[in-house]
Amino acid sequence: MISGAEIMVKCLEQENVEILFGYPGAAICPFYDALMDSPIKHILVRQEQNSVHAASGYARSVSKPGVCVATSGPGATNLITGIATAYMDSIPIIAITGQVRSDLIGRDVFQEADITGACEPFVKHSYLVKNTEDLPRVFKEAFYIATTGRPGPVLIDVPVDIQTNKIDKFVYPKKADIPGYKPSVQGHIKQIEKSVALIQSASRPVICAGGGVLTSGSKLKLVEFATKTGIPVVSTMMGIGVMPTENPLYLGMLGSHGKGVANRAIHEADVIMLCGARVGDRAVASPDQLSAHSKIIHIDIDPAEIGKNVEVTVPIVGDMKNVINKINDTIGDYHVPHMWADTTERWKKELFRTAPRFEGCVEPRSFIAKLSEMLPNKSILVADVGQNQIWCANNFRIKEGRFLTTGGMGTMGYSVPAAVGAKFARPDREVVVVCGDGSFQMGMNELGTIAQNHLNVKIIIMRNDRLGMVRELQKNLYHQRYTATFLDEEAPDFMKIAEAYNIDSAYATSNEEAEKYAKQMIESDKSFVLVCRVSPDTPSI
Amino acid sequence: MKHTIYILVENHAGVLSKITGLFSRRAFNIESLAVGVTTDVNVSRITVVADGDEYVAEQIKKQLNKLIPVLEVKILKENSYISRELALIKVKSNTGNRIEIMKIAELMDAKVIDVSVNTITLQIADTVDNLETLTNLLKPYGIKEMVRTGTVAIEKGSNFAK
Ligand SMILES: Cc1ncc(C[n+]2csc(CCOP(=O)(O)OP(=O)(O)O)c2C)c(N)n1
């Protein structure tokens, strides 16, 4: 005989899960008990939302699903923001929650919450398990759904009696058979031919690469294609890292907070190739303008994204990797006209701006650029949300590493827990957080997790004593009527907080100091908190 | 513009709420929704009449297709299908006008299914247009209560759902 809880653990083992991020409670105790007999590692986070962010940082760093666990009621509802974030960012997550006894569901007993109902709008799929026998099928399906097609979070809610009930034996299904779920990955060959013909006719083509390129593992193929054809590349925030920043073909991030040259190029293009990008409102404020003057090829694994935000000339539903391979095979010796290459090169120089410095402060944009030179090639930079995110997106020079941030949801407090996940995934790599003093205070309870596990995570706090990005909005759009964006100048002392967790720290008030401490920080093999004094008047771009 | 859409779904608890949740979340307007089991007990068929332009219709279809328990979605082309709706209508009536109302029922192919001293209840299963004609004819007598099932639709000729 085998219990439901033991089956859950066995399912995770079958899926090669090595690590869980979670927080226990009564309704998930049978599972935790069974987990003790498994080699799967469990990392206790300090708040459930962070278990999802950690799983997200993990998933994005190793291209495997991240798994998080919480108890029923408040544990489960604390997951919601994390789940919604993973959904908007298309990250494969399995979230497991305990639930009250199945015969008590619907009676508002202690710590009951309808979590599958509450998460409905932001999960790719969810299960409320009704029989212990169903567990193996449910887990098999959940992992399949989370990791295939457009990835996303899948929630499995397991009542405590389903965990304790015993059945005869455990058999894990070989494959998931879900009649209503057949993601198409190949890409229609006729459509691909049409797109190739369109590119060959283009005089000012631009590639716009999104997070889908990274998810599908097609970044090298895309770089190959761009290099061969000379087509310049812009990226969305989620697509940062599709090619090294220094590649001459890379024009930077587009959008309201992006690079002038990237926006200029996309608005002057005659053919735009959207690759795993959904043209969200932050990337392109008025997509109708794009389709008015250019022909658009849209490649995406999610058919619902094609035609949602922008009118498309050639839609291609499929996995980016398959599609770009086929395009590479058939493009022949097309090369963009030199005029276009020269123009984008000229814009790059024309639109370059140097950042003004403020006395007694670190200039964050040039510091971040400098930091990227100092870091090892494969470092993972995790940016939070706010001005700090934009400073990183536009100035971090990515080489072979990753840039992790939440572009879709923009959830403050993402960076520290996501870095925890990334570090567990890639202990060999330098993992660096850049956050604001506001966002740090939303995730700083995870210093506990960092300290307890002796993780080597580097945290840079851009301290402007303000909710900088909102303040900037108030400055520019609300007649400088500043409200609710002032954080205390005195407290907290972030160095003392670091000290409380036994973490080394430093405080920098100029770029020279920041660079000096950054060097120390990188040389150390322990965690480090670097607080940078930043002027509240430093603009985002 | 109105669109008649049929959706085949796995017959599980909670599926209907996924569908209606999606409609409200994405601000798609539902005019009517009818659901019932098909010849396969594991599959239900939902017929939705929704309002919106071509873009909205296309989005409805694509977003519905993303739901895992959804097996098939089809937006029925104008003139390619037959649709019917059933209504039960309770009308005020007395000995003086009972025959008159029964005449109207007969004219409109409706059935008398219940009679009392001061009411008469009719059943009609017809196109939405004819339902409206009947209610217009009955209004002067005083409609006390009406229930409608929502439209169901089937394709003409030899086309059929998988
Ligand atoms: C959970 C959450 N709450 C509120 C916001 C709205 N918001 C966006 S940026 C921002 C300010 C961030 O301040 P800080 O972390 O100090 O970074 P800065 O902009 O100063 O770099 C706020 C409040 C958000 N994105 N997420």
Side-chain angles (χ1 to χ4, degrees):
Chain A
M1 297 292 274
I2 178 164
S3 74
E6 287 161 344
I7 291 174
M8 290 161 74
V9 173
K10 280 214 164 8
C11 293
L12 295 174
E13 287 172 357
Q14 290 288 322
E15 293 292 340
N16 300 316
V17 172
E18 289 166 16
I19 189 166
L20 308 178
F21 302 92
Y23 212 100
I28 192 73
C29 266
F31 170 77
Y32 270 90
D33 189 68
L35 190 63
M36 288 183 74
D37 301 324
S38 163
I40 298 176
K41 198 172 356 178
H42 176 268
I43 302 302
L44 181 70
V45 293
R46 295 300 185 266
Q47 208 264 27
E48 289 86 351
Q49 181 186 138
N50 295 339
S51 74
V52 198
H53 293 331
S56 162
Y58 177 87
R60 296 171 78 176
S61 304
V62 281
S63 305
K64 272 174 75 167
V67 187
C68 57
V69 193
T71 190
S72 69
T77 52
N78 265 352
L79 291 179
I80 293 178
T81 301
I83 290 177
T85 304
Y87 182 72
M88 290 298 274
D89 294 341
S90 307
I91 313 294
I93 299 286
I94 304 290
I96 301 169
T97 48
Q99 180 55 281
V100 301
R101 246 171 49 206
S102 38
D103 58 321
L104 297 177
I105 288 180
R107 297 221 240 139
D108 298 324
V109 296
F110 181 65
Q111 294 195 333
E112 177 184 356
D114 172 12
I115 195 62
T116 49
C119 286
E120 188 55 53
F122 357 88
V123 287
K124 190 167 173 189
H125 195 46
S126 62
Y127 297 89
L128 169 54
V129 183
K130 300 255 171 70
N131 299 295
T132 303
E133 290 82 0
D134 294 340
L135 282 166
R137 176 186 57 81
V138 165
F139 272 75
K140 185 78 205 175
E141 290 184 5
F143 276 86
Y144 179 64
I145 291 170
T147 53
T148 52
R150 177 182 185 172
V154 176
L155 171 69
I156 309 175
D157 194 23
V158 191
V160 68
D161 55 314
I162 304 301
Q163 297 172 48
T164 50
N165 283 350
K166 290 190 171 178
I167 60 171
D168 281 344
K169 61 175 198 283
F170 168 73
V171 186
Y172 201 58
K174 287 221 163 44
K175 62 193 262 282
D177 181 24
I178 312 162
Y181 181 69
K182 309 269 179 237
S184 49
V185 293
Q186 282 309 327
H188 201 286
I189 192 71
K190 280 262 151 28
Q191 293 298 94
I192 293 176
E193 284 167 6
K194 270 194 211 159
S195 73
V196 167
L198 194 56
I199 297 164
Q200 283 165 338
S201 74
S203 47
R204 299 182 310 281
V206 170
I207 295 167
C208 170
V213 174
L214 297 170
T215 319
S216 62
S218 52
K219 99 179 176 185
L220 294 179
K221 289 287 162 192
L222 189 78
V223 173
E224 182 187 323
F225 173 72
T227 311
K228 192 156 84 177
T229 57
I231 303 179
V233 178
V234 303
S235 78
T236 65
M237 185 174 279
M238 295 300 284
I240 291 176
V242 292
M243 76 199 298
T245 315
E246 299 302 328
N247 189 315
L249 290 170
Y250 184 64
L251 305 182
M253 179 176 83
L254 82 170
S256 51
H257 287 102
K259 288 260 193 225
V261 52
N263 289 325
R264 181 105 181 238
I266 200 119
H267 281 102
E268 303 266 325
D270 64 343
V271 172
I272 300 172
M273 211 173 139
L274 293 173
C275 301
R278 67 192 174 93
V279 223
D281 53 320
R282 254 191 155 204
V284 180
S286 41
D288 326 350
Q289 278 182 12
L290 285 194
S291 37
H293 66 69
S294 51
K295 300 223 157 61
I296 296 177
I297 300 163
H298 195 169
I299 309 164
D300 206 294
I301 188 102
D302 181 357
E305 283 307 337
I306 297 180
K308 187 175 88 179
N309 296 332
V310 64
E311 228 176 284
V312 172
T313 321
V314 186
I316 307 177
V317 178
D319 185 283
M320 197 52 221
K321 205 173 192 168
N322 293 330
V323 177
I324 197 75
N325 273 342
K326 284 185 202 144
I327 293 181
N328 256 336
D329 290 346
T330 46
I331 191 72
D333 52 9
Y334 168 83
H335 197 279
V336 296
H338 286 290
M339 267 288 284
W340 181 232
D342 295 346
T343 311
T344 54
E345 199 48 42
R346 179 163 50 82
W347 288 342
K348 247 193 203 175
K349 294 203 185 80
E350 277 173 18
L351 296 169
F352 180 80
R353 280 189 282 177
T354 47
R357 293 201 173 201
F358 293 88
E359 194 50 37
C361 291
V362 175
E363 201 298 299
R365 291 160 293 179
S366 39
F367 172 54
I368 285 162
K370 187 79 189 174
L371 178 74
S372 26
E373 283 165 29
M374 300 166 72
L375 285 168
N377 281 356
K378 294 191 170 169
S379 301
I380 299 172
L381 185 88
V382 193
D384 213 286
V385 172
Q387 295 193 292
N388 59 85
Q389 183 183 44
I390 309 303
W391 294 331
C392 291
N394 288 324
N395 298 289
F396 186 69
R397 312 248 163 90
I398 197 158
K399 292 165 211 153
E400 296 160 68
R402 283 296 304 265
F403 175 69
L404 304 182
T405 195
T406 161
M409 191 65 158
T411 309
M412 282 172 70
Y414 177 78
S415 61
V416 179
V420 168
K423 192 67 196 182
F424 275 111
R426 293 286 190 176
D428 52 321
R429 296 206 184 175
E430 193 75 86
V431 176
V432 183
V433 167
V434 174
C435 56
D437 41 359
S439 40
F440 179 69
Q441 289 183 71
M442 279 206 190
M444 70 182 188
N445 41 11
E446 293 311 318
L447 288 181
T449 313
I450 290 174
Q452 186 178 19
N453 293 284
H454 306 288
L455 289 182
N456 170 1
V457 173
K458 310 291 162 54
I459 300 173
I460 300 174
I461 305 170
M462 299 295 183
R463 177 158 200 172
N464 51 10
D465 306 322
R466 307 288 191 286
L467 300 176
M469 182 167 259
V470 182
R471 181 185 182 272
E472 189 175 40
L473 205 65
Q474 293 171 348
K475 181 176 179 178
N476 297 332
L477 290 180
Y478 294 88
H479 310 287
Q480 299 171 34
R481 282 161 57 88
Y482 298 122
T483 174
T485 45
F486 189 69
L487 296 165
D488 197 346
E489 266 163 20
E490 311 283 321
D493 179 337
F494 291 122
M495 292 178 70
K496 283 208 180 119
I497 288 183
E499 194 190 337
Y501 289 96
N502 248 326
I503 296 174
D504 294 336
S505 63
Y507 180 65
T509 55
S510 69
N511 284 50
E512 293 65 37
E513 273 181 3
E515 283 161 28
K516 183 181 82 187
Y517 293 132
K519 187 159 177 288
Q520 271 178 30
M521 175 181 98
I522 295 165
E523 277 163 7
S524 153
D525 56 3
K526 292 203 303 252
S527 285
F528 198 94
V529 170
L530 171 55
V531 186
C532 293
R533 167 58 56 192
V534 169
S535 164
D537 287 317
T538 309
S540 291
I541 45 174
Chain B
M1 194 183 146
K2 282 188 186 129
H3 299 277
T4 303
I5 303 161
Y6 77 71
I7 311 160
L8 297 180
V9 297
E10 284 183 52
N11 192 4
H12 293 161
V15 175
L16 190 60
S17 86
K18 279 191 209 289
I19 307 271
T20 52
L22 187 138
F23 272 86
S24 69
R25 186 156 80 236
R26 301 244 171 216
F28 301 145
N29 288 326
I30 302 184
E31 297 233 323
S32 80
L33 183 148
V35 54
V37 75
T38 62
T39 47
D40 179 347
V41 291
N42 299 313
V43 178
S44 293
R45 176 161 169 150
I46 301 172
T47 311
V48 175
V49 178
D51 202 14
D53 55 17
E54 285 306 316
Y55 168 82
V56 168
E58 205 43 44
Q59 270 295 308
I60 292 179
K61 180 175 166 176
K62 285 174 167 176
Q63 294 295 344
L64 283 169
N65 265 323
K66 280 177 79 163
L67 298 177
I68 311 285
V70 167
L71 304 171
E72 193 191 333
V73 182
K74 189 158 183 180
I75 303 174
L76 295 169
K77 280 209 199 67
E78 226 176 323
N79 300 325
S80 76
Y81 64 95
I82 297 157
S83 67
R84 291 290 181 271
E85 180 161 344
L86 186 137
L88 305 178
I89 310 168
K90 191 176 284 183
V91 189
K92 260 204 277 192
S93 117
N94 50 39
T95 38
N97 61 17
R98 190 171 293 142
I99 301 293
E100 232 173 278
I101 295 173
M102 287 170 69
K103 275 263 156 57
I104 294 175
E106 201 180 342
L107 189 69
M108 293 302 301
D109 231 349
K111 231 161 100 183
V112 175
I113 54 171
D114 187 43
V115 189
S116 76
V117 198
N118 48 14
T119 62
I120 180 165
T121 305
L122 307 182
Q123 167 197 313
I124 180 169
D126 211 323
T127 60
V128 172
D129 280 354
N130 284 348
L131 253 66
E132 255 141 45
T133 309
L134 178 64
T135 49
N136 282 338
L137 291 172
L138 294 175
K139 256 182 213 152
Y141 302 95
I143 296 176
K144 300 204 58 144
E145 194 180 344
M146 174 166 79
V147 281
R148 292 168 64 158
T149 55
T151 299
V152 292
I154 198 162
E155 281 174 283
K156 285 182 188 165
S158 54
N159 280 351
F160 52 86
K162 278 164 241 157

